[in-house]
Amino acid sequence: MATYVITGRNVRLNITGWGTTNLDEQTTSAVLTKINDRQTIETIVGTAYKTTNVEATFDLEMLADWGQGTSVCEAIWASAESSPDTPIDVVLTTATNHTFAFKIFPDFPTAGGAGTDIQTVSFSFKVEKGAVTESLAGNA
């Protein structure tokens, strides 16, 4: 089998509620991480394991675009200000047409930067209930 290489440039994002923003063009990194909170239990007969919770985060790094007509930063800020406890739908699609659907809670982006550095913003969004639905487009 040939090696198949996927890069971050093969990822597409769709986030409902942020209007017609240039999310893909502004994003420099988008990483979904899902983690089992697994407890280790030592008994007299040996070791046992129990997953007690599942959590997920969506880490997003992007170029700051304050003041642009379709500003992603301003859309995220508005969501965090108006409804911080209302989850937003996200679909992350890879080049192989795998999709990962989940809901995140909005957070405020930072503003400003240092000297001649390009201004960026970073997020670590909490995924609602750690729930992520993975599927291959065309498969039910």
Side-chain angles (χ1 to χ4, degrees), residues 74-88:
E74 290 173 26
I76 295 171
W77 185 285
S79 291
E81 192 167 62
S82 65
S83 47
D85 296 325
T86 302
I88 298 166

Side-chain angles (χ1 to χ4, degrees), residues 89-107:
D89 292 319
V90 178
V91 177
L92 185 143
T93 306
T94 69
T96 57
N97 286 325
H98 273 86
T99 61
F100 300 86
F102 51 97
K103 296 175 181 281
I104 60 170
F105 292 100
D107 285 322

Side-chain angles (χ1 to χ4, degrees), residues 17-80:
W18 290 350
T20 56
T21 56
N22 312 336
L23 190 60
D24 288 345
E25 291 83 2
Q26 293 301 112
T27 300
T28 58
S29 175
V31 177
L32 173 66
T33 304
K34 189 167 179 174
I35 300 168
N36 287 325
D37 182 1
R38 187 173 295 115
Q39 305 295 315
T40 304
I41 305 151
E42 294 295 336
T43 70
I44 58 174
V45 295
T47 305
Y49 301 93
K50 175 66 178 170
T51 297
T52 58
N53 195 28
V54 177
E55 293 196 5
T57 57
F58 179 56
D59 297 318
L60 179 69
E61 294 181 16
M62 56 178 278
L63 303 171
D65 66 346
W66 296 102
Q68 299 304 306
T70 56
S71 171
V72 178
C73 287
E74 290 173 26
I76 295 171
W77 185 285
S79 291

